Amino acid sequence: MSTNTSKIEGNDAFCLMPWLHLHVSTRGLCQACCIAPITFGDINKQTIGEIWNGVKINEFRSNLLSGKKDKRCRGCYDLEDSGVKSIRQETLEKYGYKINDIIQDDIVSKPVYLDIRFSNVCNFRCVTCWHGASSKWFEEAKATGTNVAKTAIIKAINKEDEFFQQLESIVSGVEEFYFAGGEPLVMDQHYRVLELLLKKEKKGVHLRYNTNLSLLDFKGKSVIEYWKQFHKVTVSASIDAAGELGEKIRRDSDWSTIKQNLKVIKSECPHVQLEIAPTISALNVAAITSLHKQLVEEGLIDIDSIYINMLSRPDQFHIKNVENKTHVIDQLRQHLGWLKTSEASTETIKKINEILVCIQSYQ
Ligand code: SF4
């Protein structure tokens, strides 16, 4: 980094997110990021500008600058303590070149990295999910009294046209747009954002997705045709296991369709960075190695194109509860051997090793 970072040297509380990132939850709350419940305002009561320059966000910024760790950021700090890279660290790596502008020169302009969770609309009912993140979970949640709203669909923004006007006023500075769900590819607002970016000639914005990859066409719109127009697209496919097990975990999914969609992306959009992003739980930890190997051997992903999410809730599916841990440990060791002989990166080997270490700690 060529910038002067003296203000943050040795400050391991510091996070760039509140200078860069606008996260809007499905409840319309503007928060520091998707993992910390640090709320700066309500998008249905304030404008983006009011929130971005508000008292709460500025307080948080000054605490971070003065090296005060916020307890609500423990999701990052705990990961770092266990040797795993956190979102805080990833953001510093990615946007570290901006530190000089935003801190040294004290410029707090507009968010550059957006993550707007427009709704919980989803076409799957994954067993590890809940109503807040999937509209399809509503009936089951209602039956057990765990629904978080009176309607299946929870929308973040009440006045969408007004919100999109605000978005239009800040979009010139946007460098990254992250879409997650619910399922972004079945959300009208996702396509509206893409239209806005194209209208404003922002084809250089990095589009990032977490998607279940169940479809590539929605209401007559082809996401492939949109992606062809953007220079940088990263697709993290939430796939937990191959075949029937995958369909059992990600209920309403169809393995052959998902594989076909991976093939279509590979052939029609070779510039898309495609990876799998399994959520590791007691349900699939024994199957993750075969999923990874199969997709690599079939040429659908590169060996290093895997992002691991460790499931933390619901507790019943935590990997500590997996039966036959010895068998899973053997499989993971074999997989590590395969990764090494296949020249996988040290980062990938580290990710698989982290699952191994985790399960060993519960033996
Ligand atoms: S330190 Fe982590 S949890 Fe806290 S705001 Fe930054 S990314 Fe979010």
Side-chain angles (χ1 to χ4, degrees):
M1 224 183 295
S2 59
T3 50
N4 180 349
T5 57
S6 58
K7 279 198 177 183
I8 61 141
E9 260 162 34
N11 177 354
D12 59 4
F14 181 76
C15 177
L16 265 172
M17 288 297 234
W19 282 270
L20 302 174
H21 183 55
L22 179 73
H23 172 79
V24 180
S25 75
T26 47
R27 291 164 63 211
L29 301 178
C30 288
Q31 295 176 317
C33 64
C34 62
I35 55 168
I38 302 171
T39 300
F40 303 135
D42 184 335
I43 204 67
N44 291 308
K45 295 183 181 150
Q46 296 153 281
T47 64
I48 294 175
E50 283 164 359
I51 295 168
W52 197 248
N53 297 293
V55 174
K56 287 189 176 171
I57 195 168
N58 279 330
E59 243 171 44
F60 186 59
R61 288 172 180 143
S62 5
N63 284 343
L64 293 179
L65 271 177
S66 60
K68 273 190 214 150
K69 282 194 174 180
D70 191 306
K71 275 194 281 194
R72 295 165 297 177
C73 291
R74 77 173 78 82
C76 276
Y77 302 136
D78 287 354
L79 271 186
E80 293 165 21
D81 289 345
S82 64
V84 181
K85 198 184 282 178
S86 67
I87 295 182
R88 183 188 83 87
Q89 292 170 320
E90 283 173 8
T91 312
L92 277 167
E93 268 179 28
K94 200 161 46 171
Y95 287 106
Y97 68 95
K98 286 188 181 289
I99 286 176
N100 197 39
D101 286 349
I102 62 180
I103 297 169
Q104 183 78 4
D105 301 335
D106 213 16
I107 297 170
V108 181
S109 50
K110 290 172 186 165
V112 299
Y113 165 24
L114 307 189
D115 171 11
I116 320 270
R117 306 294 171 103
F118 288 101
S119 75
N120 68 336
V121 168
C122 189
N123 53 345
F124 282 7
R125 296 170 299 133
C126 304
V127 291
T128 50
C129 197
W130 61 301
H131 176 217
S134 168
S135 51
K136 267 226 166 174
W137 250 91
F138 181 59
E139 292 303 330
E140 272 171 77
K142 217 166 61 164
T144 54
T146 54
N147 52 310
V148 292
K150 288 184 182 149
T151 52
I153 295 177
I154 303 166
K155 285 178 86 176
I157 295 150
N158 299 337
K159 294 180 180 167
E160 252 173 48
D161 287 347
E162 282 177 22
F163 179 75
F164 269 86
Q165 274 169 17
Q166 290 188 54
L167 214 50
E168 190 158 349
S169 70
I170 63 163
V171 84
S172 63
V174 172
E175 295 181 23
E176 181 174 353
F177 218 117
Y178 176 57
F179 298 98
E183 169 48 44
L185 300 186
V186 297
M187 285 184 200
D188 296 319
Q189 299 89 346
H190 155 252
Y191 298 92
R192 194 168 173 183
V193 169
L194 297 189
E195 290 291 347
L196 173 62
L197 293 173
L198 290 173
K199 180 179 138 191
K200 293 289 177 180
E201 298 182 352
K202 294 285 294 176
K203 292 182 178 181
V205 169
H206 183 187
L207 305 181
R208 285 203 305 117
Y209 290 85
N210 260 102
T211 166
N212 60 33
L213 219 58
S214 55
L215 48 80
L216 298 174
D217 293 287
F218 179 67
K219 295 187 181 173
K221 295 185 168 84
S222 159
V223 76
I224 291 287
E225 294 308 316
Y226 280 107
W227 288 345
K228 282 180 182 169
Q229 300 179 68
F230 287 88
H231 308 319
K232 196 168 179 198
V233 182
T234 303
V235 174
S236 300
S238 307
I239 304 173
D240 292 338
E244 276 180 30
L245 179 62
E247 292 172 356
K248 210 169 132 192
I249 300 171
R250 300 221 167 239
R251 291 180 301 176
D252 303 324
S253 71
D254 177 71
W255 176 237
S256 57
T257 304
I258 290 170
K259 268 182 75 175
Q260 179 58 24
N261 289 342
L262 286 169
K263 281 182 198 159
V264 170
I265 295 171
K266 286 292 276 185
S267 65
E268 293 199 30
C269 285
H271 74 297
V272 168
Q273 293 173 29
L274 189 57
E275 64 178 12
I276 52 166
T279 299
I280 309 296
S281 68
L283 301 167
N284 69 338
V285 66
I288 203 65
T289 56
S290 55
L291 169 74
H292 188 199
K293 199 167 178 214
Q294 179 186 341
L295 294 179
V296 171
E297 287 179 345
E298 290 185 21
L300 294 175
I301 57 164
D302 298 329
I303 199 161
D304 294 320
S305 297
I306 181 165
Y307 185 93
I308 300 290
N309 300 299
M310 297 300 287
L311 177 134
S312 54
R313 70 187 173 112
D315 192 62
Q316 69 191 104
F317 299 131
H318 191 282
I319 66 165
K320 68 186 175 193
N321 297 318
V322 73
E323 287 172 12
N324 205 345
K325 293 187 177 65
T326 311
H327 171 66
V328 176
I329 287 168
D330 282 349
Q331 276 186 320
L332 288 165
R333 284 193 179 128
Q334 272 179 33
H335 197 58
L336 284 167
W338 175 73
L339 290 172
K340 283 171 194 160
T341 53
S342 308
E343 297 181 355
S345 69
T346 45
E347 188 67 24
T348 302
I349 292 169
K350 198 173 155 210
K351 286 180 206 165
I352 301 298
N353 199 49
E354 278 160 12
I355 307 174
L356 175 65
V357 170
C358 185
I359 199 152
Q360 279 172 329
S361 71
Y362 293 107
Q363 227 184 353

